[in-house]
Amino acid sequence: MSSQVSQNPRREQVRDRILDVAERMFASQSFAAVSVRHITAEAGVNLAAINYYFGSKAGLLKAVFLRRATDLNRERLGQLQAVLAAHPSGPVPLDGVLRALVEPPIRWMFDPSRGHAVFIQFLARCQLEDEPEFKALFYEDVEHLRRFMPALARALPTLPETELYWCLHFTLGAMHYTFTHLERLRFISNGMCDIQQADEVVARLVEFCAAGIAARVGGR
């Protein structure tokens, strides 16, 4: 029993090391370009380790996604619950709901210390890839997004459910474009726009999306 317990921390370390290496590689290269041999060589483990810990390369990809996506979505929903708790009845502020949706991943994009920024790069790669494995991860993991719908309905009580989904969709679109092309803004603006501060990016993104949605409400 004691030897089994003593081995578990090492197994977790090996597993985490493989995940860290795979995350970096999948974030910067296509799924097809990253081989199991490349991952295991970089992680300093044998080829059999991928099958042992993850079952397959596709299983490794899913594990990379779930490891941090679970934490990210927990942050989002925690922030959303704080907004709802502050407004237990009646309407909730739209900007608070939108901030809960977009602020955690934007802040992760600016946080390299815990590997968060690499994961956001990985999410961006999932959007751009044609590989079925990447698309399956990105398109099928949507339940946490549906949890924002009741809050949006309270923030926008005059809009039908279909319109709320469009509002969610376009907000996510603005957020994901920020993931993938924020640096482009620096070139477009000749350096005039500050893209170095997470607070600045979050505030402008929330303001823009809230204004667009408000215009939609006013136009009905």
Side-chain angles (χ1 to χ4, degrees):
M1 176 66 69
S2 61
S3 63
Q4 182 179 3
V5 172
S6 65
Q7 287 177 0
N8 287 339
R10 183 179 182 280
R11 289 178 180 175
E12 286 300 311
Q13 290 172 3
V14 171
R15 187 178 187 275
D16 286 343
R17 188 162 71 248
I18 295 170
L19 287 170
D20 288 342
V21 169
E23 184 179 59
R24 290 198 306 270
M25 289 188 169
F26 287 141
S28 61
Q29 304 175 56
S30 69
F31 182 73
V34 179
S35 71
V36 169
R37 187 175 297 277
H38 290 151
I39 295 169
T40 54
E42 182 71 19
V45 298
N46 62 50
L47 282 171
I50 301 298
N51 286 335
Y52 177 79
Y53 287 102
F54 308 103
S56 65
K57 182 181 171 183
L60 171 59
L61 178 71
K62 185 174 182 179
V64 167
F65 178 82
L66 291 177
R67 178 176 64 155
R68 299 204 200 274
T70 300
D71 291 339
L72 176 59
N73 293 331
R74 187 181 295 117
E75 285 189 27
R76 277 172 153 169
L77 295 176
Q79 199 163 322
L80 178 62
Q81 288 303 317
V83 174
L84 297 177
H87 301 82
S89 61
V92 296
L94 176 60
D95 61 344
V97 177
L98 296 179
R99 181 174 286 271
L101 179 66
V102 306
E103 182 171 33
I106 293 296
R107 290 204 179 280
W108 276 37
M109 186 173 71
F110 285 86
D111 179 14
S113 61
R114 293 176 293 170
H116 287 171
V118 175
F119 179 71
I120 297 303
Q121 293 171 18
F122 171 78
L123 285 184
R125 171 66 65 175
C126 287
Q127 300 170 58
L128 300 173
E129 279 282 336
D130 288 329
E131 292 290 338
E133 290 83 359
F134 273 92
K135 284 193 171 182
L137 287 177
F138 186 71
Y139 284 100
E140 294 174 11
D141 182 60
V142 296
E143 190 57 40
H144 64 283
L145 297 175
R146 292 194 181 105
R147 295 180 186 177
F148 278 83
M149 292 300 293
L152 284 173
R154 285 180 57 191
L156 303 161
T158 64
L159 286 186
E161 187 176 13
T162 302
E163 293 295 325
L164 295 177
Y165 278 114
W166 279 111
C167 292
L168 178 65
H169 171 75
F170 287 122
T171 299
L172 291 172
M175 182 191 72
H176 287 300
Y177 189 82
T178 301
F179 289 167
T180 55
H181 295 296
L182 182 60
E183 182 66 19
R184 193 180 188 196
L185 176 58
R186 183 171 66 84
F187 289 96
I188 294 173
S189 67
N190 289 319
M192 292 175 61
C193 294
D194 181 7
I195 65 169
Q196 302 302 320
Q197 304 300 320
D199 288 344
E200 174 84 1
V201 175
V202 170
R204 289 185 176 276
L205 179 59
V206 170
E207 181 182 13
F208 177 83
C209 294
I213 293 171
R216 180 64 185 137
V217 174
R220 290 188 61 80

